[in-house]
Amino acid sequence: MVEAVNPPDVWSPFGAFSMAVIQGDGQVVHLKGQVSLDREGRVVGPGDMRVQVRKVLENIRDVLAAMGGQMTDVISLVHYATDIDAFMAAGDIRKEYFVAPYPVTTTVQVERLYRPELMIEIASIAEIPRSRFRRPGPGN
């Protein structure tokens, strides 16, 4: 069974997706690809990869926190960047959010994301220990 999670502190899904899904008994969590949107769905940092990377990682952190998760629980990331050189130049920002052992990663350059102002989307998978995991209430 898969259960959807849409925390109220992150922008609301506007299509056929959830911010995260919980697989099985709730330890493995698959997060929707996060983009640089604020809670109201406005783009943060148009044209600025560094600002967008930071906001995307904050969104991942906030979605995980809604279930008792932390950035250290992230085991896999897939980066979709519209400018891979700009993304690679923002690598130091990731070190503010992750510590060794780092998640496995895949990075690809794409022509564009669903909104032209967006430069980066990051999908992730986390494993939250049972001791910290909390299943969000209805509507989250």
Side-chain angles (χ1 to χ4, degrees), residues 54-120:
R54 187 176 307 283
K55 181 59 180 165
V56 169
L57 293 173
E58 289 171 1
N59 285 347
I60 291 170
R61 181 196 62 207
D62 294 348
V63 172
L64 287 171
M67 294 169 277
Q70 303 169 357
M71 295 301 275
T72 55
D73 299 327
V74 175
I75 56 177
S76 177
L77 298 166
V78 179
H79 309 106
Y80 303 93
T82 60
D83 180 340
I84 204 160
D85 292 328
F87 174 75
M88 298 305 286
D92 60 307
I93 295 170
R94 283 184 33 142
K95 291 183 179 178
E96 297 173 25
Y97 293 84
F98 298 105
V99 295
Y102 298 108
V104 298
T105 63
T106 299
T107 304
V108 295
Q109 182 165 310
V110 296
E111 185 173 332
R112 69 174 290 231
L113 297 170
Y114 78 98
R115 288 177 64 173
E117 313 96 312
L118 295 171
M119 303 176 73
I120 182 71

Side-chain angles (χ1 to χ4, degrees), residues 36-50:
S36 183
L37 296 180
D38 65 14
R39 188 173 180 178
E40 287 75 37
R42 295 180 300 240
V43 174
V44 175
D48 189 329
M49 180 66 81
R50 295 183 65 78

